[in-house]
PDB file of all heavy atoms in Angstrom:
ATOM      1  N   HIS X  29     -31.060  14.710 -45.898  1.00 98.00           N
ATOM      2  CA  HIS X  29     -31.817  14.573 -44.645  1.00 98.00           C
ATOM      3  C   HIS X  29     -32.886  15.667 -44.530  1.00 98.00           C
ATOM      4  O   HIS X  29     -34.041  15.391 -44.161  1.00 98.00           O
ATOM      5  CB  HIS X  29     -30.833  14.638 -43.471  1.00 98.00           C
ATOM      6  CG  HIS X  29     -31.466  14.812 -42.137  1.00 98.00           C
ATOM      7  ND1 HIS X  29     -32.225  13.841 -41.547  1.00 98.00           N
ATOM      8  CD2 HIS X  29     -31.462  15.855 -41.280  1.00 98.00           C
ATOM      9  CE1 HIS X  29     -32.656  14.269 -40.384  1.00 98.00           C
ATOM     10  NE2 HIS X  29     -32.210  15.489 -40.194  1.00 98.00           N
ATOM     11  N   GLU X  30     -32.522  16.882 -44.844  1.00 96.00           N
ATOM     12  CA  GLU X  30     -33.511  17.977 -44.821  1.00 96.00           C
ATOM     13  C   GLU X  30     -34.619  17.725 -45.846  1.00 96.00           C
ATOM     14  O   GLU X  30     -35.804  17.915 -45.560  1.00 96.00           O
ATOM     15  CB  GLU X  30     -32.830  19.318 -45.143  1.00 96.00           C
ATOM     16  CG  GLU X  30     -32.013  19.893 -44.014  1.00 96.00           C
ATOM     17  CD  GLU X  30     -32.871  20.572 -42.948  1.00 96.00           C
ATOM     18  OE1 GLU X  30     -34.080  20.722 -43.137  1.00 96.00           O
ATOM     19  OE2 GLU X  30     -32.293  20.932 -41.911  1.00 96.00           O
ATOM     20  N   ARG X  34     -36.340  15.591 -42.494  1.00 96.00           N
ATOM     21  CA  ARG X  34     -35.553  15.404 -41.261  1.00 96.00           C
ATOM     22  C   ARG X  34     -35.833  14.069 -40.595  1.00 96.00           C
ATOM     23  O   ARG X  34     -36.049  13.999 -39.386  1.00 96.00           O
ATOM     24  CB  ARG X  34     -35.811  16.546 -40.277  1.00 96.00           C
ATOM     25  CG  ARG X  34     -35.330  17.865 -40.774  1.00 96.00           C
ATOM     26  CD  ARG X  34     -35.534  18.979 -39.777  1.00 96.00           C
ATOM     27  NE  ARG X  34     -35.355  20.247 -40.475  1.00 96.00           N
ATOM     28  CZ  ARG X  34     -36.174  21.275 -40.379  1.00 96.00           C
ATOM     29  NH1 ARG X  34     -37.219  21.224 -39.603  1.00 96.00           N
ATOM     30  NH2 ARG X  34     -35.928  22.368 -41.059  1.00 96.00           N
ATOM     31  N   LEU X  37     -31.947   9.778 -40.079  1.00 98.00           N
ATOM     32  CA  LEU X  37     -30.540   9.993 -39.759  1.00 98.00           C
ATOM     33  C   LEU X  37     -30.083   9.009 -38.693  1.00 98.00           C
ATOM     34  O   LEU X  37     -30.762   8.807 -37.695  1.00 98.00           O
ATOM     35  CB  LEU X  37     -30.339  11.417 -39.236  1.00 98.00           C
ATOM     36  CG  LEU X  37     -28.890  11.887 -39.167  1.00 98.00           C
ATOM     37  CD1 LEU X  37     -28.332  12.098 -40.567  1.00 98.00           C
ATOM     38  CD2 LEU X  37     -28.765  13.162 -38.355  1.00 98.00           C
ATOM     39  N   PRO X  40     -25.320  10.336 -34.162  1.00 98.00           N
ATOM     40  CA  PRO X  40     -24.034  10.937 -34.550  1.00 98.00           C
ATOM     41  C   PRO X  40     -22.804  10.203 -34.025  1.00 98.00           C
ATOM     42  O   PRO X  40     -21.692  10.603 -34.353  1.00 98.00           O
ATOM     43  CB  PRO X  40     -24.120  12.362 -33.979  1.00 98.00           C
ATOM     44  CG  PRO X  40     -25.203  12.327 -32.964  1.00 98.00           C
ATOM     45  CD  PRO X  40     -26.138  11.231 -33.344  1.00 98.00           C
ATOM     46  N   VAL X 168     -19.011  13.116 -44.071  1.00 98.00           N
ATOM     47  CA  VAL X 168     -18.456  13.501 -42.768  1.00 98.00           C
ATOM     48  C   VAL X 168     -19.543  13.985 -41.806  1.00 98.00           C
ATOM     49  O   VAL X 168     -19.354  13.980 -40.582  1.00 98.00           O
ATOM     50  CB  VAL X 168     -17.344  14.559 -42.950  1.00 98.00           C
ATOM     51  CG1 VAL X 168     -17.910  15.884 -43.403  1.00 98.00           C
ATOM     52  CG2 VAL X 168     -16.528  14.731 -41.682  1.00 98.00           C
ATOM     53  N   ASP X 169     -20.707  14.390 -42.313  1.00 98.00           N
ATOM     54  CA  ASP X 169     -21.809  14.830 -41.447  1.00 98.00           C
ATOM     55  C   ASP X 169     -22.616  13.673 -40.872  1.00 98.00           C
ATOM     56  O   ASP X 169     -23.495  13.896 -40.046  1.00 98.00           O
ATOM     57  CB  ASP X 169     -22.754  15.762 -42.216  1.00 98.00           C
ATOM     58  CG  ASP X 169     -22.143  17.140 -42.445  1.00 98.00           C
ATOM     59  OD1 ASP X 169     -21.209  17.518 -41.724  1.00 98.00           O
ATOM     60  OD2 ASP X 169     -22.602  17.839 -43.369  1.00 98.00           O
ATOM     61  N   ARG X 197     -27.005  31.396 -50.260  1.00 97.00           N
ATOM     62  CA  ARG X 197     -25.583  31.547 -49.948  1.00 97.00           C
ATOM     63  C   ARG X 197     -25.030  32.843 -50.533  1.00 97.00           C
ATOM     64  O   ARG X 197     -24.285  33.570 -49.869  1.00 97.00           O
ATOM     65  CB  ARG X 197     -24.811  30.340 -50.491  1.00 97.00           C
ATOM     66  CG  ARG X 197     -23.344  30.311 -50.097  1.00 97.00           C
ATOM     67  CD  ARG X 197     -22.681  29.041 -50.587  1.00 97.00           C
ATOM     68  NE  ARG X 197     -23.269  27.871 -49.953  1.00 97.00           N
ATOM     69  CZ  ARG X 197     -24.007  26.944 -50.561  1.00 97.00           C
ATOM     70  NH1 ARG X 197     -24.223  27.030 -51.877  1.00 97.00           N
ATOM     71  NH2 ARG X 197     -24.502  25.940 -49.893  1.00 97.00           N
ATOM     72  N   LEU X 205     -28.874  39.456 -43.907  1.00 97.00           N
ATOM     73  CA  LEU X 205     -29.063  38.658 -42.697  1.00 97.00           C
ATOM     74  C   LEU X 205     -30.132  37.597 -42.899  1.00 97.00           C
ATOM     75  O   LEU X 205     -31.149  37.849 -43.557  1.00 97.00           O
ATOM     76  CB  LEU X 205     -29.477  39.568 -41.536  1.00 97.00           C
ATOM     77  CG  LEU X 205     -28.396  40.520 -41.031  1.00 97.00           C
ATOM     78  CD1 LEU X 205     -29.001  41.548 -40.088  1.00 97.00           C
ATOM     79  CD2 LEU X 205     -27.287  39.744 -40.324  1.00 97.00           C
ATOM     80  N   LEU X 207     -32.116  36.799 -40.648  1.00 96.00           N
ATOM     81  CA  LEU X 207     -33.294  37.431 -40.033  1.00 96.00           C
ATOM     82  C   LEU X 207     -34.209  38.079 -41.068  1.00 96.00           C
ATOM     83  O   LEU X 207     -35.435  37.972 -40.988  1.00 96.00           O
ATOM     84  CB  LEU X 207     -32.842  38.533 -39.061  1.00 96.00           C
ATOM     85  CG  LEU X 207     -32.552  38.168 -37.617  1.00 96.00           C
ATOM     86  CD1 LEU X 207     -32.340  39.436 -36.821  1.00 96.00           C
ATOM     87  CD2 LEU X 207     -33.674  37.342 -37.002  1.00 96.00           C
ATOM     88  N   ARG X 213     -37.800  38.445 -38.361  1.00 97.00           N
ATOM     89  CA  ARG X 213     -38.003  39.538 -37.401  1.00 97.00           C
ATOM     90  C   ARG X 213     -39.443  39.548 -36.873  1.00 97.00           C
ATOM     91  O   ARG X 213     -39.684  39.752 -35.674  1.00 97.00           O
ATOM     92  CB  ARG X 213     -37.689  40.896 -38.057  1.00 97.00           C
ATOM     93  CG  ARG X 213     -36.215  41.100 -38.300  1.00 97.00           C
ATOM     94  CD  ARG X 213     -35.884  42.544 -38.658  1.00 97.00           C
ATOM     95  NE  ARG X 213     -34.554  42.625 -39.228  1.00 97.00           N
ATOM     96  CZ  ARG X 213     -33.439  42.714 -38.488  1.00 97.00           C
ATOM     97  NH1 ARG X 213     -33.497  42.746 -37.185  1.00 97.00           N
ATOM     98  NH2 ARG X 213     -32.258  42.774 -39.088  1.00 97.00           N
ATOM     99  N   ARG X 215     -41.381  37.016 -36.658  1.00 96.00           N
ATOM    100  CA  ARG X 215     -41.586  35.870 -35.775  1.00 96.00           C
ATOM    101  C   ARG X 215     -41.068  36.151 -34.361  1.00 96.00           C
ATOM    102  O   ARG X 215     -41.717  35.805 -33.375  1.00 96.00           O
ATOM    103  CB  ARG X 215     -40.896  34.634 -36.365  1.00 96.00           C
ATOM    104  CG  ARG X 215     -41.237  33.354 -35.627  1.00 96.00           C
ATOM    105  CD  ARG X 215     -40.722  32.097 -36.294  1.00 96.00           C
ATOM    106  NE  ARG X 215     -41.248  31.956 -37.653  1.00 96.00           N
ATOM    107  CZ  ARG X 215     -40.820  31.024 -38.521  1.00 96.00           C
ATOM    108  NH1 ARG X 215     -39.874  30.176 -38.164  1.00 96.00           N
ATOM    109  NH2 ARG X 215     -41.333  30.964 -39.735  1.00 96.00           N
ATOM    110  N   LEU X 219     -43.321  36.086 -31.023  1.00 96.00           N
ATOM    111  CA  LEU X 219     -42.988  35.180 -29.921  1.00 96.00           C
ATOM    112  C   LEU X 219     -42.680  35.942 -28.640  1.00 96.00           C
ATOM    113  O   LEU X 219     -42.397  35.346 -27.608  1.00 96.00           O
ATOM    114  CB  LEU X 219     -41.794  34.294 -30.306  1.00 96.00           C
ATOM    115  CG  LEU X 219     -42.054  33.262 -31.403  1.00 96.00           C
ATOM    116  CD1 LEU X 219     -40.737  32.676 -31.915  1.00 96.00           C
ATOM    117  CD2 LEU X 219     -42.941  32.133 -30.889  1.00 96.00           C
ATOM    118  N   GLY X 220     -42.706  37.286 -28.736  1.00 96.00           N
ATOM    119  CA  GLY X 220     -42.511  38.080 -27.529  1.00 96.00           C
ATOM    120  C   GLY X 220     -41.065  38.278 -27.123  1.00 96.00           C
ATOM    121  O   GLY X 220     -40.786  38.609 -25.969  1.00 96.00           O
ATOM    122  N   GLU X 222     -37.924  40.224 -26.515  1.00 96.00           N
ATOM    123  CA  GLU X 222     -37.752  41.629 -26.232  1.00 96.00           C
ATOM    124  C   GLU X 222     -36.307  42.042 -26.502  1.00 96.00           C
ATOM    125  O   GLU X 222     -35.376  41.333 -26.111  1.00 96.00           O
ATOM    126  CB  GLU X 222     -38.092  41.864 -24.755  1.00 96.00           C
ATOM    127  CG  GLU X 222     -38.214  43.305 -24.363  1.00 96.00           C
ATOM    128  CD  GLU X 222     -38.648  43.435 -22.900  1.00 96.00           C
ATOM    129  OE1 GLU X 222     -38.891  42.376 -22.263  1.00 96.00           O
ATOM    130  OE2 GLU X 222     -38.737  44.567 -22.410  1.00 96.00           O
ATOM    131  N   TYR X 223     -36.135  43.190 -27.160  1.00 97.00           N
ATOM    132  CA  TYR X 223     -34.787  43.728 -27.378  1.00 97.00           C
ATOM    133  C   TYR X 223     -34.496  44.791 -26.330  1.00 97.00           C
ATOM    134  O   TYR X 223     -35.322  45.675 -26.100  1.00 97.00           O
ATOM    135  CB  TYR X 223     -34.673  44.340 -28.784  1.00 97.00           C
ATOM    136  CG  TYR X 223     -34.418  43.296 -29.856  1.00 97.00           C
ATOM    137  CD1 TYR X 223     -35.437  42.451 -30.296  1.00 97.00           C
ATOM    138  CD2 TYR X 223     -33.147  43.137 -30.401  1.00 97.00           C
ATOM    139  CE1 TYR X 223     -35.205  41.488 -31.263  1.00 97.00           C
ATOM    140  CE2 TYR X 223     -32.903  42.167 -31.375  1.00 97.00           C
ATOM    141  CZ  TYR X 223     -33.932  41.355 -31.795  1.00 97.00           C
ATOM    142  OH  TYR X 223     -33.692  40.395 -32.749  1.00 97.00           O
ATOM    143  N   VAL X 224     -33.329  44.698 -25.694  1.00 96.00           N
ATOM    144  CA  VAL X 224     -32.934  45.719 -24.718  1.00 96.00           C
ATOM    145  C   VAL X 224     -31.521  46.181 -25.067  1.00 96.00           C
ATOM    146  O   VAL X 224     -30.776  45.480 -25.756  1.00 96.00           O
ATOM    147  CB  VAL X 224     -32.970  45.187 -23.272  1.00 96.00           C
ATOM    148  CG1 VAL X 224     -34.394  44.764 -22.901  1.00 96.00           C
ATOM    149  CG2 VAL X 224     -32.001  44.049 -23.080  1.00 96.00           C
ATOM    150  N   ASP X 225     -31.179  47.367 -24.567  1.00 91.00           N
ATOM    151  CA  ASP X 225     -29.908  47.916 -25.015  1.00 91.00           C
ATOM    152  C   ASP X 225     -28.701  47.497 -24.208  1.00 91.00           C
ATOM    153  O   ASP X 225     -27.592  47.474 -24.710  1.00 91.00           O
ATOM    154  CB  ASP X 225     -29.999  49.443 -25.098  1.00 91.00           C
ATOM    155  CG  ASP X 225     -30.528  49.856 -26.448  1.00 91.00           C
ATOM    156  OD1 ASP X 225     -30.403  49.044 -27.387  1.00 91.00           O
ATOM    157  OD2 ASP X 225     -31.097  50.955 -26.578  1.00 91.00           O
ATOM    158  N   GLU X 226     -28.907  47.144 -22.955  1.00 76.00           N
ATOM    159  CA  GLU X 226     -27.750  46.610 -22.240  1.00 76.00           C
ATOM    160  C   GLU X 226     -28.164  45.559 -21.232  1.00 76.00           C
ATOM    161  O   GLU X 226     -29.289  45.522 -20.764  1.00 76.00           O
ATOM    162  CB  GLU X 226     -26.971  47.722 -21.547  1.00 76.00           C
ATOM    163  CG  GLU X 226     -27.822  48.706 -20.775  1.00 76.00           C
ATOM    164  CD  GLU X 226     -26.966  49.880 -20.338  1.00 76.00           C
ATOM    165  OE1 GLU X 226     -26.131  49.666 -19.440  1.00 76.00           O
ATOM    166  OE2 GLU X 226     -27.127  50.983 -20.892  1.00 76.00           O
ATOM    167  N   GLY X 227     -27.243  44.707 -20.868  1.00 59.00           N
ATOM    168  CA  GLY X 227     -27.547  43.527 -20.049  1.00 59.00           C
ATOM    169  C   GLY X 227     -27.651  43.847 -18.557  1.00 59.00           C
ATOM    170  O   GLY X 227     -27.437  44.960 -18.134  1.00 59.00           O
TER     171      GLY X 227
ATOM    172  N   LYS D   2     -38.221  36.314 -19.248  1.00 91.00           N
ATOM    173  CA  LYS D   2     -38.753  36.671 -20.561  1.00 91.00           C
ATOM    174  C   LYS D   2     -37.644  36.579 -21.618  1.00 91.00           C
ATOM    175  O   LYS D   2     -36.536  37.070 -21.381  1.00 91.00           O
ATOM    176  CB  LYS D   2     -39.244  38.121 -20.468  1.00 91.00           C
ATOM    177  CG  LYS D   2     -40.163  38.552 -21.571  1.00 91.00           C
ATOM    178  CD  LYS D   2     -40.630  39.998 -21.332  1.00 91.00           C
ATOM    179  CE  LYS D   2     -41.187  40.560 -22.624  1.00 91.00           C
ATOM    180  NZ  LYS D   2     -42.162  39.682 -23.291  1.00 91.00           N
ATOM    181  N   PRO D   3     -37.945  35.953 -22.763  1.00 96.00           N
ATOM    182  CA  PRO D   3     -36.943  35.891 -23.838  1.00 96.00           C
ATOM    183  C   PRO D   3     -36.457  37.286 -24.224  1.00 96.00           C
ATOM    184  O   PRO D   3     -37.280  38.181 -24.458  1.00 96.00           O
ATOM    185  CB  PRO D   3     -37.709  35.236 -24.980  1.00 96.00           C
ATOM    186  CG  PRO D   3     -38.778  34.440 -24.323  1.00 96.00           C
ATOM    187  CD  PRO D   3     -39.161  35.211 -23.098  1.00 96.00           C
ATOM    188  N   THR D   4     -35.148  37.456 -24.288  1.00 96.00           N
ATOM    189  CA  THR D   4     -34.566  38.786 -24.431  1.00 96.00           C
ATOM    190  C   THR D   4     -33.344  38.746 -25.332  1.00 96.00           C
ATOM    191  O   THR D   4     -32.572  37.789 -25.291  1.00 96.00           O
ATOM    192  CB  THR D   4     -34.103  39.306 -23.043  1.00 96.00           C
ATOM    193  OG1 THR D   4     -35.158  39.147 -22.106  1.00 96.00           O
ATOM    194  CG2 THR D   4     -33.673  40.757 -23.100  1.00 96.00           C
ATOM    195  N   VAL D   5     -33.188  39.791 -26.130  1.00 97.00           N
ATOM    196  CA  VAL D   5     -31.956  39.991 -26.893  1.00 97.00           C
ATOM    197  C   VAL D   5     -31.307  41.277 -26.383  1.00 97.00           C
ATOM    198  O   VAL D   5     -31.927  42.344 -26.423  1.00 97.00           O
ATOM    199  CB  VAL D   5     -32.252  40.136 -28.401  1.00 97.00           C
ATOM    200  CG1 VAL D   5     -30.977  40.481 -29.169  1.00 97.00           C
ATOM    201  CG2 VAL D   5     -32.898  38.864 -28.942  1.00 97.00           C
ATOM    202  N   VAL D   6     -30.087  41.171 -25.887  1.00 97.00           N
ATOM    203  CA  VAL D   6     -29.356  42.351 -25.430  1.00 97.00           C
ATOM    204  C   VAL D   6     -28.459  42.820 -26.576  1.00 97.00           C
ATOM    205  O   VAL D   6     -27.640  42.044 -27.091  1.00 97.00           O
ATOM    206  CB  VAL D   6     -28.517  42.022 -24.175  1.00 97.00           C
ATOM    207  CG1 VAL D   6     -27.727  43.255 -23.734  1.00 97.00           C
ATOM    208  CG2 VAL D   6     -29.425  41.529 -23.057  1.00 97.00           C
ATOM    209  N   ARG D   7     -28.646  44.086 -26.955  1.00 96.00           N
ATOM    210  CA  ARG D   7     -27.961  44.576 -28.164  1.00 96.00           C
ATOM    211  C   ARG D   7     -26.481  44.884 -27.954  1.00 96.00           C
ATOM    212  O   ARG D   7     -25.654  44.598 -28.799  1.00 96.00           O
ATOM    213  CB  ARG D   7     -28.658  45.848 -28.653  1.00 96.00           C
ATOM    214  CG  ARG D   7     -29.958  45.594 -29.388  1.00 96.00           C
ATOM    215  CD  ARG D   7     -30.312  46.775 -30.276  1.00 96.00           C
ATOM    216  NE  ARG D   7     -31.671  46.616 -30.794  1.00 96.00           N
ATOM    217  CZ  ARG D   7     -32.766  47.061 -30.168  1.00 96.00           C
ATOM    218  NH1 ARG D   7     -32.670  47.703 -29.024  1.00 96.00           N
ATOM    219  NH2 ARG D   7     -33.955  46.869 -30.713  1.00 96.00           N
ATOM    220  N   ASN D   8     -26.166  45.504 -26.809  1.00 92.00           N
ATOM    221  CA  ASN D   8     -24.797  46.010 -26.647  1.00 92.00           C
ATOM    222  C   ASN D   8     -24.043  45.247 -25.579  1.00 92.00           C
ATOM    223  O   ASN D   8     -24.578  44.985 -24.516  1.00 92.00           O
ATOM    224  CB  ASN D   8     -24.841  47.478 -26.233  1.00 92.00           C
ATOM    225  CG  ASN D   8     -25.607  48.276 -27.253  1.00 92.00           C
ATOM    226  OD1 ASN D   8     -25.370  48.148 -28.446  1.00 92.00           O
ATOM    227  ND2 ASN D   8     -26.570  49.070 -26.779  1.00 92.00           N
ATOM    228  N   GLU D  73     -26.679  39.585 -36.301  1.00 96.00           N
ATOM    229  CA  GLU D  73     -26.487  41.024 -36.555  1.00 96.00           C
ATOM    230  C   GLU D  73     -25.824  41.745 -35.387  1.00 96.00           C
ATOM    231  O   GLU D  73     -25.400  42.891 -35.534  1.00 96.00           O
ATOM    232  CB  GLU D  73     -27.799  41.703 -36.935  1.00 96.00           C
ATOM    233  CG  GLU D  73     -28.787  41.833 -35.810  1.00 96.00           C
ATOM    234  CD  GLU D  73     -30.060  42.593 -36.249  1.00 96.00           C
ATOM    235  OE1 GLU D  73     -29.973  43.512 -37.065  1.00 96.00           O
ATOM    236  OE2 GLU D  73     -31.152  42.210 -35.775  1.00 96.00           O
ATOM    237  N   GLU D  96     -23.183  25.429 -42.922  1.00 98.00           N
ATOM    238  CA  GLU D  96     -22.370  26.281 -43.775  1.00 98.00           C
ATOM    239  C   GLU D  96     -23.052  27.604 -44.129  1.00 98.00           C
ATOM    240  O   GLU D  96     -22.368  28.625 -44.277  1.00 98.00           O
ATOM    241  CB  GLU D  96     -22.023  25.489 -45.046  1.00 98.00           C
ATOM    242  CG  GLU D  96     -21.369  26.243 -46.133  1.00 98.00           C
ATOM    243  CD  GLU D  96     -22.387  26.729 -47.154  1.00 98.00           C
ATOM    244  OE1 GLU D  96     -23.461  26.100 -47.269  1.00 98.00           O
ATOM    245  OE2 GLU D  96     -22.092  27.731 -47.817  1.00 98.00           O
ATOM    246  N   ARG D 117     -23.065  20.863 -38.606  1.00 98.00           N
ATOM    247  CA  ARG D 117     -23.100  20.091 -39.847  1.00 98.00           C
ATOM    248  C   ARG D 117     -22.421  20.864 -40.972  1.00 98.00           C
ATOM    249  O   ARG D 117     -21.927  21.963 -40.741  1.00 98.00           O
ATOM    250  CB  ARG D 117     -24.521  19.706 -40.209  1.00 98.00           C
ATOM    251  CG  ARG D 117     -25.449  20.855 -40.484  1.00 98.00           C
ATOM    252  CD  ARG D 117     -26.820  20.272 -40.811  1.00 98.00           C
ATOM    253  NE  ARG D 117     -27.771  21.307 -41.148  1.00 98.00           N
ATOM    254  CZ  ARG D 117     -29.004  21.062 -41.562  1.00 98.00           C
ATOM    255  NH1 ARG D 117     -29.416  19.821 -41.682  1.00 98.00           N
ATOM    256  NH2 ARG D 117     -29.827  22.049 -41.846  1.00 98.00           N
ATOM    257  N   ASP D 118     -22.392  20.292 -42.141  1.00 98.00           N
ATOM    258  CA  ASP D 118     -21.667  20.873 -43.283  1.00 98.00           C
ATOM    259  C   ASP D 118     -20.195  21.039 -42.921  1.00 98.00           C
ATOM    260  O   ASP D 118     -19.543  22.043 -43.251  1.00 98.00           O
ATOM    261  CB  ASP D 118     -22.265  22.231 -43.695  1.00 98.00           C
ATOM    262  CG  ASP D 118     -23.730  22.135 -44.087  1.00 98.00           C
ATOM    263  OD1 ASP D 118     -24.145  21.077 -44.591  1.00 98.00           O
ATOM    264  OD2 ASP D 118     -24.458  23.119 -43.884  1.00 98.00           O
ATOM    265  N   VAL D 119     -19.672  20.045 -42.235  1.00 98.00           N
ATOM    266  CA  VAL D 119     -18.313  20.122 -41.702  1.00 98.00           C
ATOM    267  C   VAL D 119     -17.272  20.210 -42.822  1.00 98.00           C
ATOM    268  O   VAL D 119     -16.257  20.912 -42.680  1.00 98.00           O
ATOM    269  CB  VAL D 119     -18.065  18.914 -40.769  1.00 98.00           C
ATOM    270  CG1 VAL D 119     -16.593  18.648 -40.579  1.00 98.00           C
ATOM    271  CG2 VAL D 119     -18.751  19.165 -39.432  1.00 98.00           C
ATOM    272  N   VAL D 134     -20.896  16.145 -34.351  1.00 98.00           N
ATOM    273  CA  VAL D 134     -21.147  16.451 -35.758  1.00 98.00           C
ATOM    274  C   VAL D 134     -22.421  15.714 -36.109  1.00 98.00           C
ATOM    275  O   VAL D 134     -22.523  14.508 -35.873  1.00 98.00           O
ATOM    276  CB  VAL D 134     -19.982  15.986 -36.643  1.00 98.00           C
ATOM    277  CG1 VAL D 134     -20.341  16.091 -38.120  1.00 98.00           C
ATOM    278  CG2 VAL D 134     -18.727  16.793 -36.321  1.00 98.00           C
ATOM    279  N   ALA D 136     -25.931  15.828 -38.995  1.00 98.00           N
ATOM    280  CA  ALA D 136     -26.708  16.443 -40.068  1.00 98.00           C
ATOM    281  C   ALA D 136     -28.114  16.818 -39.627  1.00 98.00           C
ATOM    282  O   ALA D 136     -28.851  17.452 -40.387  1.00 98.00           O
ATOM    283  CB  ALA D 136     -26.780  15.482 -41.255  1.00 98.00           C
ATOM    284  N   GLN D 137     -28.493  16.441 -38.407  1.00 96.00           N
ATOM    285  CA  GLN D 137     -29.876  16.642 -37.966  1.00 96.00           C
ATOM    286  C   GLN D 137     -30.299  18.111 -38.066  1.00 96.00           C
ATOM    287  O   GLN D 137     -29.751  18.972 -37.386  1.00 96.00           O
ATOM    288  CB  GLN D 137     -30.026  16.170 -36.519  1.00 96.00           C
ATOM    289  CG  GLN D 137     -31.444  16.287 -35.973  1.00 96.00           C
ATOM    290  CD  GLN D 137     -32.404  15.270 -36.589  1.00 96.00           C
ATOM    291  OE1 GLN D 137     -32.009  14.142 -36.858  1.00 96.00           O
ATOM    292  NE2 GLN D 137     -33.636  15.659 -36.854  1.00 96.00           N
ATOM    293  N   GLY D 138     -31.271  18.367 -38.888  1.00 91.00           N
ATOM    294  CA  GLY D 138     -31.716  19.736 -39.124  1.00 91.00           C
ATOM    295  C   GLY D 138     -32.619  20.268 -38.034  1.00 91.00           C
ATOM    296  O   GLY D 138     -33.072  19.528 -37.155  1.00 91.00           O
ATOM    297  N   THR D 139     -32.883  21.558 -38.086  1.00 91.00           N
ATOM    298  CA  THR D 139     -33.560  22.245 -37.003  1.00 91.00           C
ATOM    299  C   THR D 139     -34.648  23.167 -37.547  1.00 91.00           C
ATOM    300  O   THR D 139     -34.672  23.510 -38.723  1.00 91.00           O
ATOM    301  CB  THR D 139     -32.541  23.102 -36.227  1.00 91.00           C
ATOM    302  OG1 THR D 139     -31.791  23.865 -37.166  1.00 91.00           O
ATOM    303  CG2 THR D 139     -31.616  22.238 -35.420  1.00 91.00           C
ATOM    304  N   LYS D 141     -37.030  26.908 -36.807  1.00 94.00           N
ATOM    305  CA  LYS D 141     -36.806  28.307 -36.399  1.00 94.00           C
ATOM    306  C   LYS D 141     -38.102  28.786 -35.755  1.00 94.00           C
ATOM    307  O   LYS D 141     -38.817  29.599 -36.317  1.00 94.00           O
ATOM    308  CB  LYS D 141     -36.480  29.177 -37.632  1.00 94.00           C
ATOM    309  CG  LYS D 141     -35.198  28.814 -38.374  1.00 94.00           C
ATOM    310  CD  LYS D 141     -35.081  29.603 -39.666  1.00 94.00           C
ATOM    311  CE  LYS D 141     -33.908  29.206 -40.561  1.00 94.00           C
ATOM    312  NZ  LYS D 141     -33.254  27.933 -40.350  1.00 94.00           N
ATOM    313  N   ALA D 142     -38.426  28.245 -34.569  1.00 92.00           N
ATOM    314  CA  ALA D 142     -39.771  28.420 -34.033  1.00 92.00           C
ATOM    315  C   ALA D 142     -39.860  28.882 -32.587  1.00 92.00           C
ATOM    316  O   ALA D 142     -40.913  29.352 -32.173  1.00 92.00           O
ATOM    317  CB  ALA D 142     -40.531  27.084 -34.154  1.00 92.00           C
TER     318      ALA D 142
END
Side-chain angles (χ1 to χ4, degrees):
Chain X
H29 167 68
E30 284 282 353
R34 295 182 194 133
L37 194 70
V168 70
D169 287 340
R197 186 176 296 112
L205 291 169
L207 272 189
R213 289 193 195 276
R215 189 172 301 171
L219 292 167
E222 191 176 357
Y223 278 75
V224 298
D225 273 338
E226 46 190 289
Chain D
K2 196 178 163 49
T4 310
V5 174
V6 178
R7 283 201 190 89
N8 303 312
E73 70 177 325
E96 171 265 335
R117 63 181 182 175
D118 301 330
V119 160
V134 170
Q137 182 71 36
T139 49
K141 297 172 186 17

